[in-house]
Amino acid sequence: MTDIAIVDYGMGNLRSVSKALEHVAPAASIAVTDDPEVVRKAGRVVVPGQGAMPDCLRELDARGLRDAVLEAADSKPFLGICIGLQMLFESSEEGDVKGLGIVAGKVLRFPSTAMINANGQKLKVPHMGWNEVHRTAEHALWKDIASDARFYFVHSYYVETTNPEPAAAYSLYPFPFTCAVAKDNIFAVQFHPEKSHEAGLTLLRNFVQWEPMLRNG
Amino acid sequence: MGLATRIIPCLDVTNGRVVKGINFVELRDAGDPVEISRRYDEQGADELTFLDITASSDNRDLILRIIEEVAAQVFIPLTVGGGVRQVEDVRRLLNAGADKVSINTSAVQNPNLVADAASRYGSQCIVVAIDAKRVNNTDMNNPRWEVFTHGGRMATGLDAIEWAKRMQLLGAGEILLTSMDKDGTRNGFDLALTRAVSDMVDVPVIASGGVGNLHHLVEGVLQGHADAVLAASIFHYGEYSISQAKAYMAQHGIEVRV
């Protein structure tokens, strides 16, 4: 059995994610896979994603992976990264598509106006670089990570939860936006832990060791 | 506190070694790319940029092996450029572990490459590198910069600001802007160029070319409005560490990751 399945639906580079997981869990068997059966049998599932959410969902469906991802989100430690966070939501402004609908809320684009910081500087989109992650809830995945630690972001769309409960952290750009979501066995982040140096590796190590309460496990 | 300004050491790589030239010529050996990457990572570099300046195609695959080795040890974003001619080159670099691929000469020869690569892999991993040179030195109030290609040897007739805007429209997620006049001089960035481009585009702009001391980095951000600053020689020869550069920028009110 695969310990950790990284869901490969053909969107972008998953090598960074697998390299970082291999680094923090050298004894684990890690598979980058587009096989729904491998995802179903894996102990833990990571859903990364780059590019545009409509393309990501289309490619997920083209490989018959949607059901396996939904099952994983319902039954085992699940980590979403970037588009892997965004696709959990109900809908996205990007291409006006429906998401997986696991978390109530929507995905919005950073506005082209009013992107000015406190010093009067214009803020660029994509939001690219290292930003502070301010936690709003305690969670096993934050263990040993300094509060307000910086993580690496690169995205033009952000998530907005309908209810405050699932939000686990926010960042400022320039307004506060949710950058991490926690719900039962799901943890999903807008930033890239695999590219976020020690803080990111610690988060991945915490994920590998995480034993959430499972409803359908 | 919000987004930190990035400091990006640049490694010019040829035949498997890091080198540094003056005005794109007179190369001098600066060491092993994997070792240097690890050092910068330990010092707190926010990102690393590799430019493959290998002239012959024989040794092209060397850069892939270097990136693979770096990506297995260094967990920060890696940008790789040099010799990217087709979408297949982008794919190979991303698969080797690059997070972003920088396109320069080929973007001028075939602008659709930028559009194709961005639609296939996402704008977030497509950087367009622009080598710009001042073309009317007589009228300082009305400066104009032209895009050059082939490592700065060939004039294109393209206006650098217009070109940056067009590249953004085609899908570039970031602009790496090098002043050919300043590169290797250690006199500081071309601040007017940096500011003109950065203010005219919505995507992040990395200022490059001319850094000789830490104050140049501060000027690039505060006066040039750069979203990130790139430098090579001040870091390669141990004159300054990345952490010293960050401490100096923080003293001048620039938000950095420490």
Side-chain angles (χ1 to χ4, degrees):
Chain A
M1 192 186 90
T2 306
D3 296 320
I4 307 168
I6 301 169
V7 181
D8 178 8
Y9 47 94
M11 288 300 292
N13 168 29
L14 307 183
R15 192 185 172 92
S16 299
V17 178
S18 65
K19 282 283 156 206
L21 283 166
E22 282 165 27
H23 189 80
V24 298
S29 79
I30 298 168
V32 175
T33 182
D34 64 357
D35 182 346
E37 280 314 303
V38 174
V39 175
R40 283 197 175 93
K41 288 179 181 150
R44 294 165 194 276
V45 169
V46 179
V47 179
Q50 290 180 343
M53 182 164 140
D55 297 342
C56 287
L57 287 167
R58 191 190 62 229
E59 295 301 318
L60 198 69
D61 285 333
R63 288 165 178 75
L65 284 161
R66 180 186 287 249
D67 287 345
V69 167
L70 285 170
E71 281 170 41
D74 207 31
S75 64
K76 57 185 79 170
F78 181 103
L79 178 65
I81 300 173
C82 195
I83 306 291
L85 161 75
Q86 296 181 3
M87 67 165 64
L88 299 177
F89 283 68
E90 293 165 310
S91 65
S92 175
E93 272 188 354
E94 189 172 20
D96 197 20
V97 290
K98 279 200 159 62
L100 299 176
I102 296 167
V103 179
K106 56 196 173 190
V107 184
L108 303 168
R109 194 177 199 282
F110 282 113
S112 51
T113 53
M115 293 295 284
I116 306 281
N117 72 7
N119 300 328
Q121 288 157 332
K122 173 168 122 177
L123 297 178
K124 305 295 185 66
V125 179
H127 170 226
M128 187 186 284
W130 299 77
N131 205 334
E132 287 185 353
V133 168
H134 308 287
R135 295 172 213 169
T136 51
E138 286 305 311
H139 197 281
L141 265 70
W142 296 135
K143 185 174 166 276
D144 298 330
I145 298 172
S147 62
D148 305 332
R150 287 185 188 274
F151 287 82
Y152 185 77
F153 288 81
V154 49
H155 61 121
S156 300
Y157 290 78
Y158 65 96
V159 300
E160 191 175 84
T161 60
T162 304
N163 308 307
E165 297 81 38
Y170 69 92
S171 293
L172 297 172
Y173 197 65
F175 51 84
F177 70 90
T178 297
C179 66
V181 157
K183 188 185 174 193
D184 305 316
N185 54 298
I186 298 172
F187 197 85
V189 293
Q190 181 61 67
F191 50 81
H192 290 269
E194 75 280 11
K195 284 288 146 184
S196 296
H197 206 248
E198 286 304 322
L201 294 175
T202 304
L203 189 144
L204 292 175
R205 196 177 290 117
N206 290 340
F207 172 70
V208 171
Q209 296 167 355
W210 184 31
E211 297 296 344
M213 297 277 284
L214 298 177
R215 288 164 300 142
N216 304 307
Chain B
M1 299 281 271
L3 187 66
T5 299
R6 289 169 283 155
I7 299 191
I8 308 174
C10 178
L11 291 72
D12 290 346
V13 179
T14 183
N15 298 315
R17 298 289 290 177
V18 177
V19 294
K20 184 59 198 163
I22 294 171
N23 289 110
F24 287 48
V25 288
E26 289 179 52
L27 301 176
R28 176 176 158 197
D29 188 87
D32 171 58
V34 179
E35 200 179 298
I36 292 176
S37 300
R38 268 206 308 261
R39 186 167 78 224
Y40 290 150
D41 176 55
E42 281 162 19
Q43 291 177 3
D46 296 311
E47 214 171 296
L48 295 173
T49 290
F50 299 81
L51 291 180
D52 182 9
I53 56 168
T54 304
S56 83
S57 54
D58 307 352
N59 288 327
R60 278 268 171 237
D61 286 351
L62 260 180
I63 193 76
L64 296 174
R65 292 210 291 278
I66 291 167
I67 297 306
E68 278 174 18
E69 209 178 324
V70 172
Q73 303 175 43
V74 169
F75 299 98
I76 57 176
L78 309 175
T79 301
V80 187
V84 176
R85 291 186 181 83
Q86 45 195 352
V87 174
E88 172 62 14
D89 297 328
V90 175
R91 191 189 66 81
R92 294 200 318 156
L93 287 166
L94 293 177
N95 282 346
D99 300 285
K100 303 186 233 180
V101 171
S102 155
I103 306 176
N104 187 334
T105 298
S106 299
V108 174
Q109 292 172 337
N110 173 22
N112 284 333
L113 172 63
V114 173
D116 291 347
S119 74
R120 181 69 191 85
Y121 297 106
S123 289
Q124 84 289 337
C125 66
I126 304 301
V127 181
V128 169
I130 300 177
D131 293 337
K133 198 186 246 179
R134 229 175 240 266
V135 284
N136 61 340
N137 284 312
T138 45
D139 181 4
M140 295 308 277
N141 293 324
N142 188 22
R144 197 180 157 263
W145 296 270
E146 185 175 337
V147 178
F148 279 67
T149 58
H150 296 84
R153 293 188 302 276
M154 250 191 220
T156 63
L158 295 163
D159 177 80
I161 297 167
E162 291 307 316
W163 182 241
K165 284 159 67 179
R166 181 156 172 232
M167 289 298 98
Q168 175 188 323
L169 274 177
L170 284 186
E174 191 170 37
I175 303 287
L176 167 53
L177 180 65
T178 302
S179 161
M180 305 274 321
D181 305 297
K182 293 289 195 166
D183 195 63
T185 64
R186 304 173 61 88
N187 289 332
F189 294 118
D190 185 334
L191 297 173
L193 166 69
T194 307
R195 186 170 185 142
V197 172
S198 189
D199 286 354
M200 287 308 289
V201 296
D202 298 319
V203 297
V205 171
I206 306 168
S208 155
V211 174
N213 62 49
L214 299 184
H215 200 69
H216 292 149
L217 302 174
V218 169
E219 289 172 351
V221 178
L222 297 185
Q223 294 172 48
H225 294 179
D227 300 284
V229 284
L230 181 138
S233 58
I234 63 160
F235 298 131
H236 291 342
Y237 302 110
E239 245 171 290
Y240 301 103
S241 67
I242 308 283
S243 29
Q244 281 175 310
K246 287 191 169 182
Y248 188 84
M249 287 167 76
Q251 277 170 24
H252 288 78
I254 298 170
E255 191 166 348
V256 290
R257 161 183 165 253
V258 286

